[in-house]
Amino acid sequence: MKFLRWFNYRVYKVLKASVVSLFILLLAFSAVQVILRLVFKTGIPHAESLSRYLVLWVSFLGASLATFKHRHINLDIFSKHLKKINPGLVTVIISTAATVILGFISWAGVVFILNEMPDSQKVYFIPVWVMESVIPLTFIVMMFIYFQRIFDGIRMMRAAGRK
Amino acid sequence: MTAAIIGITAVILGVIGMPLFLVFAGLAVALFIMAGIDTSAVIIEISRMAASPVLIAIPLFTFAGYLLAESGTPARLIKLTRALVGSIKGGTAIVALFVCAFFTSFSGASGVTIIALGGILFPMLTKDKYPQNFSLGLLTTSGSLGLLFPPSLLLILYGVLANVSISKLFIAGIIPGAILILLMSLWSLKQGAKLENTEPFEWGKLVSALKETAWEIPLPFVVIGGIYSGTFTASEAAILTAAYAFIIEVFIYKDLSLTRDIPRIIRSSMIVVGGIFVILGAAMGFTNYLVDEQVPMQILDWLKTYVKEKWLFLLLLNIFLIIVGAVLDVFSALIVVLPLMLPIAREFGIDPVHMAIIFLANLEIGYNAPPAGLNLFIASFRFRKPVLTLAKATLPFLAMLILGLMLITYIPDLSLFLIKLFNVQ
């Protein structure tokens, strides 16, 4: 458990820095491309493809951060009341279901990338499958976060039981 | 039977608070496995989504919206609109409506308008002696006002999902959006007429406020003017808006620190964008399954046995969408329901652009509708008031918005007139 917590914390730190760096790259690169097109009637080759993949990376890494920060959109009409009754149980149920679902999606993502690898095109020198690998990567990170939360939930239930 | 169990489990998990993207992803995976389809089809949907060139507009406009909301822009815009309409009874309320609409059009109805502006506008309305319920209702409903104006994220998402020109959608929302603001302004003027809270109009104040906002005023005109003059696309408008907002707020106004504020704003805005994108990906997997299974056609066949007239269909559509908007967030509602409703609306002869405006106007209302409209919860958190108090406070404003919705629904030209006038493609 300690290792999982330490691992997730390191991932969180890396994600925070990556989102900011990639977004700045996206904004700067796209702005230069637009200025080149509007002012100098020219452009950078493959610029649109690169921007699209940067958007994919920035948004999916942002989604991972949303999981760390409990900021995903959900219906919290009943959950607030349920959490007052038994916060640990709700966390365990949601986290277990989430871990299973994310396990399936992560696997589907890995299969997708493996299928893409052989005939993958390149944007500059980077194969497209590398650009797309952020999809399974995000789901794997999320799976680990929810996996950790199962144990957090059990601990909360035990603490509530002791009271 | 198995499908029913999967559906019920998904609803239970959704209700107890599981993130909606996981609910949709779980449904998609389970249904694909049941149908013997490879689950990597869900990932293919997500990668297809990434291929849409318009999507770049979403993170960049969201960033610009967050940047503006966190800077001194709200205070400067309030000062300007107050200088313009502060001499009118009810002017402060109109200031609140306009400023909220401006920010929501940039940041989407992600709650940032209520969170960022509520703290400035609520004390202002209280100081001017507006009744508390009126102020709460006004600010809660204003949290989604502006969804029909460019560069609304929901208009962009609609364009991506329904394959409709973003330029058409941006211009189509202007008159209907203005009607909604006008109706809410009329109600505010009626309330404001009872108060003695005006301040005399002074040219000096107006000129000073104009000078202060000189760098911000061009923003909406850059977006709209640039797109409709054909100078740049919606995506390029987003890039320029984000770059421009960044330069003016960091280097000209110096409201935000490059090292302290910008990384935090990037992370906050990308968390919202990430949340939207994973819902988009997961829900597209789920709805595409439903579309492949001919669910819209089955709904249409069933509907046609009871509903023959277009006006009745539109009425039922409005009721259905308000309910959807009240129980789901706007993004999930749009992504899940639109692919199912679009073919049906087409069968009833509804223009896809008109449909977009009806759809979003409904979600704008559903966002404030009791018992579960998201704005009520965001406002409850922001103003520390019970949801029930806010639900009651929003009722007069909801009545105004529903009146506007009826006009938008039954007069298609309100949405289509500008497209025809300017021959937008």
Side-chain angles (χ1 to χ4, degrees):
Chain A
M1 249 318 275
K2 266 187 186 168
F3 171 75
L4 191 61
R5 200 176 294 278
W6 172 87
F7 176 75
N8 282 345
Y9 181 71
R10 296 286 148 199
V11 171
Y12 174 63
K13 288 278 176 193
V14 172
L15 281 176
K16 272 174 79 176
S18 309
V19 166
V20 174
S21 321
L22 288 173
F23 182 84
I24 292 169
L25 181 65
L26 168 70
L27 182 58
F29 181 76
S30 311
V32 169
Q33 166 68 8
V34 173
I35 291 164
L36 283 176
R37 192 186 80 74
L38 294 178
V39 182
F40 301 101
K41 311 284 175 218
T42 179
I44 308 164
H46 305 297
E48 200 191 297
S49 298
L50 187 64
S51 298
R52 276 208 314 264
Y53 287 114
L54 277 172
V55 169
L56 188 71
W57 272 81
V58 165
S59 54
F60 270 71
L61 296 185
S64 304
L65 277 183
T67 310
F68 273 108
K69 297 263 198 180
H70 295 269
R71 289 275 307 275
H72 280 292
I73 299 167
N74 62 353
L75 307 173
D76 58 358
I77 323 152
F78 300 106
S79 60
K80 275 182 186 162
H81 301 291
L82 286 171
K83 278 181 182 167
K84 276 179 197 161
I85 301 165
N86 195 334
L89 183 64
V90 176
T91 307
V92 169
I93 294 171
I94 290 176
S95 305
T96 309
T99 308
V100 173
I101 293 167
L102 286 164
F104 272 107
I105 301 185
S106 302
W107 176 245
V110 172
V111 170
F112 170 77
I113 294 297
L114 291 174
N115 289 337
E116 288 278 296
M117 266 183 188
D119 320 305
S120 193
Q121 292 179 330
K122 284 184 180 173
V123 177
Y124 300 116
F125 57 91
I126 312 166
V128 167
W129 70 264
V130 175
M131 309 275 204
E132 288 171 333
S133 64
V134 70
I135 302 172
L137 197 68
T138 297
F139 292 131
I140 291 169
V141 167
M142 288 177 174
M143 186 178 68
F144 277 114
I145 302 167
Y146 279 107
F147 187 57
Q148 182 198 312
R149 283 188 194 153
I150 298 175
F151 296 100
D152 293 342
I154 293 171
R155 219 180 46 239
M156 282 153 76
M157 280 169 74
R158 278 187 187 155
R162 276 198 293 273
K163 275 182 192 169
Chain B
M1 182 62 187
T2 320
I5 293 170
I6 292 168
I8 293 166
T9 312
V11 170
I12 292 171
L13 287 171
V15 165
I16 66 168
M18 178 184 257
L20 287 174
F21 86 93
L22 285 170
V23 174
F24 295 129
L27 275 171
V29 167
L31 292 170
F32 280 162
I33 290 173
M34 265 177 60
I37 303 167
D38 189 347
T39 47
S40 59
V42 181
I43 307 296
I44 293 170
E45 288 303 332
I46 296 173
S47 69
R48 251 180 44 191
M49 173 192 87
S52 170
V54 187
L55 277 188
I56 191 173
I58 295 179
L60 293 171
F61 275 134
T62 310
F63 170 69
Y66 269 71
L67 204 68
L68 295 172
E70 295 241 359
S71 67
T73 305
R76 284 190 288 273
L77 279 185
I78 289 168
K79 195 173 166 192
L80 174 67
T81 37
R82 238 179 126 92
L84 274 169
V85 293
S87 58
I88 304 167
K89 283 186 175 180
T92 312
I94 293 174
V95 168
L97 287 171
F98 275 87
V99 177
C100 286
F102 174 83
F103 275 95
T104 306
S105 70
F106 273 92
S107 58
S110 52
V112 75
T113 306
I114 296 174
I115 300 284
L117 300 185
I120 309 170
L121 293 170
F122 189 63
M124 211 170 95
L125 290 163
T126 311
K127 193 178 129 245
D128 285 355
K129 298 189 176 63
Y130 283 89
Q132 194 191 61
N133 263 6
F134 170 84
S135 308
L136 289 172
L138 177 91
L139 294 176
T140 306
T141 37
S142 298
S144 54
L145 200 67
L147 283 185
L148 298 179
F149 292 121
S152 158
L153 300 186
L154 285 162
L155 285 172
I156 299 171
L157 262 184
Y158 188 101
V160 172
L161 290 167
N163 205 13
V164 177
S165 145
I166 307 286
S167 306
K168 276 187 179 177
L169 292 176
F170 274 2
I171 205 162
I174 292 174
I175 295 179
I179 288 173
L180 295 182
I181 292 189
L182 179 72
L183 288 168
M184 283 180 63
S185 300
L186 289 176
W187 176 252
S188 303
L189 286 174
K190 187 174 175 290
Q191 292 296 305
K194 300 170 195 163
L195 308 168
E196 292 297 331
N197 56 1
T198 55
E199 50 186 60
F201 177 82
E202 286 173 36
W203 280 104
K205 271 188 184 173
L206 180 61
V207 172
S208 139
L210 273 171
K211 272 186 192 163
E212 280 182 36
T213 49
W215 290 98
E216 282 140 344
I217 293 172
L219 256 178
F221 300 104
V222 168
V223 175
I224 300 168
I227 294 172
Y228 294 108
S229 63
T231 315
F232 41 77
T233 62
S235 307
E236 288 173 336
I239 296 162
L240 292 176
T241 304
Y244 181 82
F246 173 77
I247 291 167
I248 62 167
E249 300 303 350
V250 175
F251 300 110
I252 296 176
Y253 288 118
K254 296 191 170 88
D255 285 340
L256 300 168
S257 148
L258 187 61
T259 49
R260 217 176 34 248
D261 299 316
I262 298 300
R264 178 176 50 80
I265 293 171
I266 291 175
R267 282 196 296 271
S268 304
S269 51
M270 289 314 108
I271 282 175
V272 170
V273 171
I276 296 169
F277 272 44
V278 283
I279 285 191
L280 186 63
M284 272 168 83
F286 170 59
T287 46
N288 280 358
Y289 172 84
L290 296 180
V291 172
D292 286 347
E293 291 295 306
Q294 304 283 316
V295 173
M297 289 305 124
Q298 288 169 26
I299 299 173
L300 182 66
D301 288 342
W302 175 82
L303 204 63
K304 273 189 165 171
T305 53
Y306 300 100
V307 182
K308 304 266 187 264
E309 299 86 359
K310 187 176 168 179
W311 71 266
L312 186 57
F313 168 73
L314 284 170
L315 186 68
L316 292 173
L317 178 75
N318 280 337
I319 295 168
F320 172 70
L321 288 176
I322 290 177
I323 295 169
V324 168
V327 292
L328 278 178
D329 72 282
V330 278
F331 299 106
S332 309
L334 183 70
I335 299 157
V336 175
V337 179
L338 180 65
L340 304 178
M341 285 294 134
L342 209 55
I344 302 173
R346 210 172 284 136
E347 283 287 319
F348 277 94
I350 299 163
D351 187 287
V353 174
H354 182 211
M355 176 70 176
I357 305 305
I358 296 174
F359 210 100
L360 296 190
N362 270 294
L363 295 186
E364 192 169 319
I365 295 169
Y367 226 43
N368 305 295
L374 201 59
N375 267 356
L376 297 174
F377 291 89
I378 296 169
S380 163
F381 167 76
R382 184 67 187 84
F383 303 119
R384 294 163 194 248
K385 298 282 174 199
V387 170
L388 200 64
T389 307
L390 293 163
K392 274 186 205 160
T394 53
L395 288 177
F397 294 97
L398 277 181
M400 287 289 131
L401 290 176
I402 288 171
L403 177 65
L405 174 67
M406 288 299 119
L407 294 172
I408 293 167
T409 304
Y410 291 107
I411 311 173
D413 273 343
L414 291 177
S415 309
L416 305 175
F417 170 72
L418 288 178
I419 295 178
K420 290 174 193 163
L421 183 70
F422 296 111
N423 195 23
V424 179
Q425 294 304 314

